[in-house]
Amino acid sequence: MTPPASHDIDPRTAEIAAGLRAVRERITAACRAAGRDPGEVRLLPVTKTFPAEDVARLVDLGLTEFGENRDQEAGAKTAELARLRPDATVRWHMVGRLQRNKARHVVRWAGMVQSVDSPRLATALERAVASARAAGERTEPPLDVLVQASLDADPTRGGCPLPDLPELADQIASSSELRLRGVMAVAPLGADPDDAFSTLAQAVDLLRKDHPAATELSAGMSGDLEQAIAHGSTWVRVGTALLGGRRLASP
Ligand SMILES: *Cc1c(COP(=O)(O)O)cnc(C)c1O
């Protein structure tokens, strides 16, 4: 991809570029504070509610992986991005709650599903991948998945309770259609993210004993990425700090 010439950069692109610089500086500083190599932590822009044009701007700025939290919105946006940037190779992550009846649609656009939180959802995804493969709609290797851990035992917010995580991980690891890559979590509202991510880190350590290839930890968002990096995050999922403008100075 050739980036646009500088005279083509519109104000929105400049705004997003400034957000990107600021987020990258935060990631680097957090890695330094934690004694980690900044190359171990990737940034996943979460583009929910923002138009495909903003994703195209992020592509022009060099990003290639994006997160979405709703199947319907993402399906339309991925198609729109393919029209806007036909030559770009991008990979989409589903990071939101997923109903089983959406599994067949999700596997058409998502390269990774980060929000697998129940055996029934894992089974639905496994069947969806198998039937997409049988129909010739899918030739890629197994679907990359993260198990989503619940850190607050609130079933309405999604996530698998920590005691049930090993069994869910075993199920995924034994499927030929799914590939267990690690764990995702969202810090509970109103809780100290440091405590939440510390609990998460312990669960992840335990899981890796049985699944050493499950190396990814998707944790940390705009408000708590520093704490997540301190506790071993390898993917930070950032929306508002990048695209929301709330943290940017007004023009
Ligand atoms: C929206 C969302 C994010 C990004 O949140 P921000 O606070 O805007 O950075 C991260 N993870 C998930 C699962 C989300 O739905």
Side-chain angles (χ1 to χ4, degrees):
M1 288 298 300
T2 317
S6 59
H7 61 266
D8 287 337
I9 291 183
D10 65 325
R12 178 62 175 152
T13 301
E15 186 177 43
I16 293 174
L20 181 59
R21 265 196 306 279
V23 170
R24 285 194 166 137
E25 278 166 20
R26 284 176 62 192
I27 293 171
T28 305
C31 286
R32 194 166 296 141
R36 299 183 59 198
D37 174 356
E40 291 173 14
V41 181
R42 278 168 298 167
L43 167 63
L44 183 70
V46 178
T47 52
K48 66 186 184 200
T49 78
F50 292 96
E53 284 78 8
D54 279 354
V55 186
R57 291 179 170 100
L58 287 165
V59 168
D60 295 342
L61 291 167
L63 289 147
T64 58
E65 307 209 28
F66 304 100
E68 284 285 327
N69 75 332
R70 286 179 54 239
D71 170 62
Q72 200 178 359
E73 178 185 341
K77 200 177 296 183
T78 58
E80 176 68 4
L81 183 72
R83 199 180 61 72
L84 293 172
R85 293 292 181 277
D87 297 331
T89 302
V90 304
R91 186 165 192 254
W92 293 88
H93 297 234
M94 174 58 170
V95 301
R97 289 210 82 178
L98 178 56
Q99 290 166 340
R100 279 177 293 143
N101 62 7
K102 301 283 173 61
R104 279 178 188 248
H105 191 249
V106 160
V107 303
R108 293 197 190 149
W109 60 265
M112 179 184 268
V113 177
Q114 298 203 358
S115 44
V116 180
D117 62 357
S118 74
R120 283 168 12 133
L121 177 56
T123 300
L125 285 168
E126 178 176 30
R127 288 186 182 144
V129 172
S131 78
R133 195 190 300 286
E137 295 164 1
R138 188 185 167 93
T139 53
E140 299 104 277
L143 178 72
D144 284 335
V145 308
L146 302 183
V147 285
Q148 183 181 351
S150 167
L151 300 175
D152 59 4
D154 177 353
T156 64
R157 296 192 65 227
C160 174
L162 294 181
D164 301 339
L165 211 56
E167 198 178 324
L168 178 59
D170 289 347
Q171 178 192 343
I172 292 164
S174 68
S175 164
S176 58
E177 307 291 359
L178 307 177
R179 184 161 52 192
L180 179 69
R181 303 306 302 263
V183 179
M184 185 270 257
V186 180
L189 287 170
D192 178 353
D194 213 45
D195 291 345
F197 293 137
S198 161
T199 304
L200 175 66
Q202 287 169 29
V204 167
D205 280 348
L206 206 65
L207 193 103
R208 283 184 190 152
K209 289 201 167 77
D210 288 333
H211 303 285
T215 52
E216 303 289 352
L217 175 56
S218 171
M221 318 198 302
S222 293
D224 57 16
L225 66 88
E226 284 84 1
Q227 291 91 338
I229 288 171
H231 290 288
S233 174
T234 64
W235 277 111
V236 292
R237 308 178 309 268
V238 180
T240 53
L242 201 55
L243 296 163
R246 295 204 313 259
R247 288 162 186 265
L248 301 173
S250 1

mmCIF file with all atom_site columns, all heavy atoms in Angstrom, residues 222-240:
data_model
loop_
_atom_site.group_PDB
_atom_site.id
_atom_site.type_symbol
_atom_site.label_atom_id
_atom_site.label_alt_id
_atom_site.label_comp_id
_atom_site.label_asym_id
_atom_site.label_entity_id
_atom_site.label_seq_id
_atom_site.pdbx_PDB_ins_code
_atom_site.Cartn_x
_atom_site.Cartn_y
_atom_site.Cartn_z
_atom_site.occupancy
_atom_site.B_iso_or_equiv
_atom_site.pdbx_formal_charge
_atom_site.auth_seq_id
_atom_site.auth_comp_id
_atom_site.auth_asym_id
_atom_site.auth_atom_id
_atom_site.pdbx_PDB_model_num
ATOM 1   N N   . SER A 1 222 ? -8.756  1.518   26.362 1.00 0.00 ? 222 SER A N   1
ATOM 2   C CA  . SER A 1 222 ? -8.275  2.909   26.459 1.00 0.00 ? 222 SER A CA  1
ATOM 3   C C   . SER A 1 222 ? -7.940  3.306   27.898 1.00 0.00 ? 222 SER A C   1
ATOM 4   O O   . SER A 1 222 ? -6.974  4.020   28.134 1.00 0.00 ? 222 SER A O   1
ATOM 5   C CB  . SER A 1 222 ? -9.331  3.870   25.914 1.00 0.00 ? 222 SER A CB  1
ATOM 6   O OG  . SER A 1 222 ? -9.484  3.682   24.526 1.00 0.00 ? 222 SER A OG  1
ATOM 7   N N   . GLY A 1 223 ? -8.770  2.859   28.842 1.00 0.00 ? 223 GLY A N   1
ATOM 8   C CA  . GLY A 1 223 ? -8.614  3.338   30.207 1.00 0.00 ? 223 GLY A CA  1
ATOM 9   C C   . GLY A 1 223 ? -7.670  2.530   31.077 1.00 0.00 ? 223 GLY A C   1
ATOM 10  O O   . GLY A 1 223 ? -7.311  2.986   32.173 1.00 0.00 ? 223 GLY A O   1
ATOM 11  N N   . ASP A 1 224 ? -7.287  1.340   30.638 1.00 0.00 ? 224 ASP A N   1
ATOM 12  C CA  . ASP A 1 224 ? -6.521  0.486   31.561 1.00 0.00 ? 224 ASP A CA  1
ATOM 13  C C   . ASP A 1 224 ? -5.421  -0.314  30.859 1.00 0.00 ? 224 ASP A C   1
ATOM 14  O O   . ASP A 1 224 ? -5.000  -1.356  31.354 1.00 0.00 ? 224 ASP A O   1
ATOM 15  C CB  . ASP A 1 224 ? -7.473  -0.446  32.332 1.00 0.00 ? 224 ASP A CB  1
ATOM 16  C CG  . ASP A 1 224 ? -8.330  -1.322  31.415 1.00 0.00 ? 224 ASP A CG  1
ATOM 17  O OD1 . ASP A 1 224 ? -7.998  -1.450  30.218 1.00 0.00 ? 224 ASP A OD1 1
ATOM 18  O OD2 . ASP A 1 224 ? -9.326  -1.880  31.903 1.00 0.00 ? 224 ASP A OD2 1
ATOM 19  N N   . LEU A 1 225 ? -4.952  0.189   29.739 1.00 0.00 ? 225 LEU A N   1
ATOM 20  C CA  . LEU A 1 225 ? -3.947  -0.605  29.014 1.00 0.00 ? 225 LEU A CA  1
ATOM 21  C C   . LEU A 1 225 ? -2.625  -0.704  29.782 1.00 0.00 ? 225 LEU A C   1
ATOM 22  O O   . LEU A 1 225 ? -1.923  -1.712  29.674 1.00 0.00 ? 225 LEU A O   1
ATOM 23  C CB  . LEU A 1 225 ? -3.752  -0.081  27.583 1.00 0.00 ? 225 LEU A CB  1
ATOM 24  C CG  . LEU A 1 225 ? -3.147  1.301   27.328 1.00 0.00 ? 225 LEU A CG  1
ATOM 25  C CD1 . LEU A 1 225 ? -1.634  1.266   27.244 1.00 0.00 ? 225 LEU A CD1 1
ATOM 26  C CD2 . LEU A 1 225 ? -3.711  1.865   26.025 1.00 0.00 ? 225 LEU A CD2 1
ATOM 27  N N   . GLU A 1 226 ? -2.287  0.313   30.567 1.00 0.00 ? 226 GLU A N   1
ATOM 28  C CA  . GLU A 1 226 ? -1.038  0.253   31.338 1.00 0.00 ? 226 GLU A CA  1
ATOM 29  C C   . GLU A 1 226 ? -1.067  -0.908  32.339 1.00 0.00 ? 226 GLU A C   1
ATOM 30  O O   . GLU A 1 226 ? -0.100  -1.675  32.448 1.00 0.00 ? 226 GLU A O   1
ATOM 31  C CB  . GLU A 1 226 ? -0.796  1.575   32.092 1.00 0.00 ? 226 GLU A CB  1
ATOM 32  C CG  . GLU A 1 226 ? -0.301  2.711   31.204 1.00 0.00 ? 226 GLU A CG  1
ATOM 33  C CD  . GLU A 1 226 ? -1.410  3.471   30.478 1.00 0.00 ? 226 GLU A CD  1
ATOM 34  O OE1 . GLU A 1 226 ? -2.598  3.136   30.674 1.00 0.00 ? 226 GLU A OE1 1
ATOM 35  O OE2 . GLU A 1 226 ? -1.089  4.395   29.706 1.00 0.00 ? 226 GLU A OE2 1
ATOM 36  N N   . GLN A 1 227 ? -2.202  -1.028  33.064 1.00 0.00 ? 227 GLN A N   1
ATOM 37  C CA  . GLN A 1 227 ? -2.307  -2.102  34.050 1.00 0.00 ? 227 GLN A CA  1
ATOM 38  C C   . GLN A 1 227 ? -2.276  -3.474  33.372 1.00 0.00 ? 227 GLN A C   1
ATOM 39  O O   . GLN A 1 227 ? -1.683  -4.420  33.881 1.00 0.00 ? 227 GLN A O   1
ATOM 40  C CB  . GLN A 1 227 ? -3.601  -1.954  34.870 1.00 0.00 ? 227 GLN A CB  1
ATOM 41  C CG  . GLN A 1 227 ? -3.598  -0.756  35.812 1.00 0.00 ? 227 GLN A CG  1
ATOM 42  C CD  . GLN A 1 227 ? -4.182  0.502   35.177 1.00 0.00 ? 227 GLN A CD  1
ATOM 43  O OE1 . GLN A 1 227 ? -4.229  0.650   33.957 1.00 0.00 ? 227 GLN A OE1 1
ATOM 44  N NE2 . GLN A 1 227 ? -4.618  1.420   36.021 1.00 0.00 ? 227 GLN A NE2 1
ATOM 45  N N   . ALA A 1 228 ? -2.932  -3.555  32.209 1.00 0.00 ? 228 ALA A N   1
ATOM 46  C CA  . ALA A 1 228 ? -2.961  -4.838  31.491 1.00 0.00 ? 228 ALA A CA  1
ATOM 47  C C   . ALA A 1 228 ? -1.555  -5.224  31.021 1.00 0.00 ? 228 ALA A C   1
ATOM 48  O O   . ALA A 1 228 ? -1.160  -6.391  31.110 1.00 0.00 ? 228 ALA A O   1
ATOM 49  C CB  . ALA A 1 228 ? -3.927  -4.749  30.302 1.00 0.00 ? 228 ALA A CB  1
ATOM 50  N N   . ILE A 1 229 ? -0.810  -4.253  30.533 1.00 0.00 ? 229 ILE A N   1
ATOM 51  C CA  . ILE A 1 229 ? 0.559   -4.538  30.071 1.00 0.00 ? 229 ILE A CA  1
ATOM 52  C C   . ILE A 1 229 ? 1.434   -4.969  31.255 1.00 0.00 ? 229 ILE A C   1
ATOM 53  O O   . ILE A 1 229 ? 2.253   -5.884  31.136 1.00 0.00 ? 229 ILE A O   1
ATOM 54  C CB  . ILE A 1 229 ? 1.127   -3.317  29.313 1.00 0.00 ? 229 ILE A CB  1
ATOM 55  C CG1 . ILE A 1 229 ? 0.433   -3.188  27.951 1.00 0.00 ? 229 ILE A CG1 1
ATOM 56  C CG2 . ILE A 1 229 ? 2.648   -3.431  29.138 1.00 0.00 ? 229 ILE A CG2 1
ATOM 57  C CD1 . ILE A 1 229 ? 0.738   -1.912  27.186 1.00 0.00 ? 229 ILE A CD1 1
ATOM 58  N N   . ALA A 1 230 ? 1.216   -4.342  32.397 1.00 0.00 ? 230 ALA A N   1
ATOM 59  C CA  . ALA A 1 230 ? 1.979   -4.743  33.591 1.00 0.00 ? 230 ALA A CA  1
ATOM 60  C C   . ALA A 1 230 ? 1.717   -6.201  33.961 1.00 0.00 ? 230 ALA A C   1
ATOM 61  O O   . ALA A 1 230 ? 2.562   -6.859  34.563 1.00 0.00 ? 230 ALA A O   1
ATOM 62  C CB  . ALA A 1 230 ? 1.620   -3.829  34.767 1.00 0.00 ? 230 ALA A CB  1
ATOM 63  N N   . HIS A 1 231 ? 0.528   -6.705  33.574 1.00 0.00 ? 231 HIS A N   1
ATOM 64  C CA  . HIS A 1 231 ? 0.177   -8.090  33.907 1.00 0.00 ? 231 HIS A CA  1
ATOM 65  C C   . HIS A 1 231 ? 0.247   -9.028  32.707 1.00 0.00 ? 231 HIS A C   1
ATOM 66  O O   . HIS A 1 231 ? -0.400  -10.074 32.710 1.00 0.00 ? 231 HIS A O   1
ATOM 67  C CB  . HIS A 1 231 ? -1.204  -8.141  34.568 1.00 0.00 ? 231 HIS A CB  1
ATOM 68  C CG  . HIS A 1 231 ? -1.194  -7.533  35.949 1.00 0.00 ? 231 HIS A CG  1
ATOM 69  N ND1 . HIS A 1 231 ? -0.597  -8.149  37.018 1.00 0.00 ? 231 HIS A ND1 1
ATOM 70  C CD2 . HIS A 1 231 ? -1.669  -6.351  36.400 1.00 0.00 ? 231 HIS A CD2 1
ATOM 71  C CE1 . HIS A 1 231 ? -0.719  -7.370  38.089 1.00 0.00 ? 231 HIS A CE1 1
ATOM 72  N NE2 . HIS A 1 231 ? -1.363  -6.272  37.741 1.00 0.00 ? 231 HIS A NE2 1
ATOM 73  N N   . GLY A 1 232 ? 1.002   -8.644  31.679 1.00 0.00 ? 232 GLY A N   1
ATOM 74  C CA  . GLY A 1 232 ? 1.316   -9.607  30.632 1.00 0.00 ? 232 GLY A CA  1
ATOM 75  C C   . GLY A 1 232 ? 0.506   -9.532  29.350 1.00 0.00 ? 232 GLY A C   1
ATOM 76  O O   . GLY A 1 232 ? 0.627   -10.428 28.504 1.00 0.00 ? 232 GLY A O   1
ATOM 77  N N   . SER A 1 233 ? -0.306  -8.482  29.176 1.00 0.00 ? 233 SER A N   1
ATOM 78  C CA  . SER A 1 233 ? -1.085  -8.394  27.934 1.00 0.00 ? 233 SER A CA  1
ATOM 79  C C   . SER A 1 233 ? -0.186  -8.431  26.699 1.00 0.00 ? 233 SER A C   1
ATOM 80  O O   . SER A 1 233 ? 0.896   -7.845  26.680 1.00 0.00 ? 233 SER A O   1
ATOM 81  C CB  . SER A 1 233 ? -1.893  -7.088  27.924 1.00 0.00 ? 233 SER A CB  1
ATOM 82  O OG  . SER A 1 233 ? -2.530  -6.920  26.674 1.00 0.00 ? 233 SER A OG  1
ATOM 83  N N   . THR A 1 234 ? -0.674  -9.123  25.654 1.00 0.00 ? 234 THR A N   1
ATOM 84  C CA  . THR A 1 234 ? 0.038   -9.123  24.362 1.00 0.00 ? 234 THR A CA  1
ATOM 85  C C   . THR A 1 234 ? -0.762  -8.404  23.277 1.00 0.00 ? 234 THR A C   1
ATOM 86  O O   . THR A 1 234 ? -0.260  -8.188  22.182 1.00 0.00 ? 234 THR A O   1
ATOM 87  C CB  . THR A 1 234 ? 0.332   -10.562 23.885 1.00 0.00 ? 234 THR A CB  1
ATOM 88  O OG1 . THR A 1 234 ? -0.904  -11.242 23.641 1.00 0.00 ? 234 THR A OG1 1
ATOM 89  C CG2 . THR A 1 234 ? 1.147   -11.338 24.910 1.00 0.00 ? 234 THR A CG2 1
ATOM 90  N N   . TRP A 1 235 ? -2.038  -8.108  23.550 1.00 0.00 ? 235 TRP A N   1
ATOM 91  C CA  . TRP A 1 235 ? -2.883  -7.339  22.636 1.00 0.00 ? 235 TRP A CA  1
ATOM 92  C C   . TRP A 1 235 ? -3.639  -6.333  23.485 1.00 0.00 ? 235 TRP A C   1
ATOM 93  O O   . TRP A 1 235 ? -4.351  -6.744  24.405 1.00 0.00 ? 235 TRP A O   1
ATOM 94  C CB  . TRP A 1 235 ? -3.972  -8.208  22.007 1.00 0.00 ? 235 TRP A CB  1
ATOM 95  C CG  . TRP A 1 235 ? -3.683  -9.052  20.818 1.00 0.00 ? 235 TRP A CG  1
ATOM 96  C CD1 . TRP A 1 235 ? -3.642  -10.419 20.800 1.00 0.00 ? 235 TRP A CD1 1
ATOM 97  C CD2 . TRP A 1 235 ? -3.492  -8.635  19.469 1.00 0.00 ? 235 TRP A CD2 1
ATOM 98  N NE1 . TRP A 1 235 ? -3.415  -10.851 19.520 1.00 0.00 ? 235 TRP A NE1 1
ATOM 99  C CE2 . TRP A 1 235 ? -3.321  -9.775  18.678 1.00 0.00 ? 235 TRP A CE2 1
ATOM 100 C CE3 . TRP A 1 235 ? -3.440  -7.375  18.842 1.00 0.00 ? 235 TRP A CE3 1
ATOM 101 C CZ2 . TRP A 1 235 ? -3.103  -9.713  17.305 1.00 0.00 ? 235 TRP A CZ2 1
ATOM 102 C CZ3 . TRP A 1 235 ? -3.219  -7.328  17.482 1.00 0.00 ? 235 TRP A CZ3 1
ATOM 103 C CH2 . TRP A 1 235 ? -3.057  -8.494  16.736 1.00 0.00 ? 235 TRP A CH2 1
ATOM 104 N N   . VAL A 1 236 ? -3.528  -5.050  23.182 1.00 0.00 ? 236 VAL A N   1
ATOM 105 C CA  . VAL A 1 236 ? -4.430  -4.092  23.813 1.00 0.00 ? 236 VAL A CA  1
ATOM 106 C C   . VAL A 1 236 ? -5.469  -3.677  22.779 1.00 0.00 ? 236 VAL A C   1
ATOM 107 O O   . VAL A 1 236 ? -5.147  -3.446  21.623 1.00 0.00 ? 236 VAL A O   1
ATOM 108 C CB  . VAL A 1 236 ? -3.691  -2.871  24.427 1.00 0.00 ? 236 VAL A CB  1
ATOM 109 C CG1 . VAL A 1 236 ? -2.863  -3.323  25.626 1.00 0.00 ? 236 VAL A CG1 1
ATOM 110 C CG2 . VAL A 1 236 ? -2.822  -2.171  23.399 1.00 0.00 ? 236 VAL A CG2 1
ATOM 111 N N   . ARG A 1 237 ? -6.729  -3.647  23.200 1.00 0.00 ? 237 ARG A N   1
ATOM 112 C CA  . ARG A 1 237 ? -7.850  -3.346  22.299 1.00 0.00 ? 237 ARG A CA  1
ATOM 113 C C   . ARG A 1 237 ? -8.303  -1.914  22.570 1.00 0.00 ? 237 ARG A C   1
ATOM 114 O O   . ARG A 1 237 ? -8.866  -1.632  23.631 1.00 0.00 ? 237 ARG A O   1
ATOM 115 C CB  . ARG A 1 237 ? -9.014  -4.307  22.570 1.00 0.00 ? 237 ARG A CB  1
ATOM 116 C CG  . ARG A 1 237 ? -8.642  -5.791  22.557 1.00 0.00 ? 237 ARG A CG  1
ATOM 117 C CD  . ARG A 1 237 ? -9.870  -6.638  22.892 1.00 0.00 ? 237 ARG A CD  1
ATOM 118 N NE  . ARG A 1 237 ? -10.532 -6.204  24.100 1.00 0.00 ? 237 ARG A NE  1
ATOM 119 C CZ  . ARG A 1 237 ? -10.268 -6.681  25.325 1.00 0.00 ? 237 ARG A CZ  1
ATOM 120 N NH1 . ARG A 1 237 ? -9.382  -7.624  25.501 1.00 0.00 ? 237 ARG A NH1 1
ATOM 121 N NH2 . ARG A 1 237 ? -10.915 -6.203  26.366 1.00 0.00 ? 237 ARG A NH2 1
ATOM 122 N N   . VAL A 1 238 ? -8.034  -1.025  21.632 1.00 0.00 ? 238 VAL A N   1
ATOM 123 C CA  . VAL A 1 238 ? -8.239  0.391   21.916 1.00 0.00 ? 238 VAL A CA  1
ATOM 124 C C   . VAL A 1 238 ? -9.202  1.029   20.923 1.00 0.00 ? 238 VAL A C   1
ATOM 125 O O   . VAL A 1 238 ? -8.989  0.958   19.710 1.00 0.00 ? 238 VAL A O   1
ATOM 126 C CB  . VAL A 1 238 ? -6.894  1.136   21.925 1.00 0.00 ? 238 VAL A CB  1
ATOM 127 C CG1 . VAL A 1 238 ? -7.116  2.618   22.224 1.00 0.00 ? 238 VAL A CG1 1
ATOM 128 C CG2 . VAL A 1 238 ? -5.946  0.526   22.957 1.00 0.00 ? 238 VAL A CG2 1
ATOM 129 N N   . GLY A 1 239 ? -10.251 1.640   21.471 1.00 0.00 ? 239 GLY A N   1
ATOM 130 C CA  . GLY A 1 239 ? -11.220 2.357   20.647 1.00 0.00 ? 239 GLY A CA  1
ATOM 131 C C   . GLY A 1 239 ? -11.125 3.856   20.843 1.00 0.00 ? 239 GLY A C   1
ATOM 132 O O   . GLY A 1 239 ? -10.527 4.571   20.044 1.00 0.00 ? 239 GLY A O   1
ATOM 133 N N   . THR A 1 240 ? -11.683 4.329   21.954 1.00 0.00 ? 240 THR A N   1
ATOM 134 C CA  . THR A 1 240 ? -11.847 5.778   22.120 1.00 0.00 ? 240 THR A CA  1
ATOM 135 C C   . THR A 1 240 ? -10.531 6.558   22.130 1.00 0.00 ? 240 THR A C   1
ATOM 136 O O   . THR A 1 240 ? -10.478 7.658   21.589 1.00 0.00 ? 240 THR A O   1
ATOM 137 C CB  . THR A 1 240 ? -12.628 6.100   23.410 1.00 0.00 ? 240 THR A CB  1
ATOM 138 O OG1 . THR A 1 240 ? -11.993 5.445   24.507 1.00 0.00 ? 240 THR A OG1 1
ATOM 139 C CG2 . THR A 1 240 ? -14.052 5.623   23.316 1.00 0.00 ? 240 THR A CG2 1
#
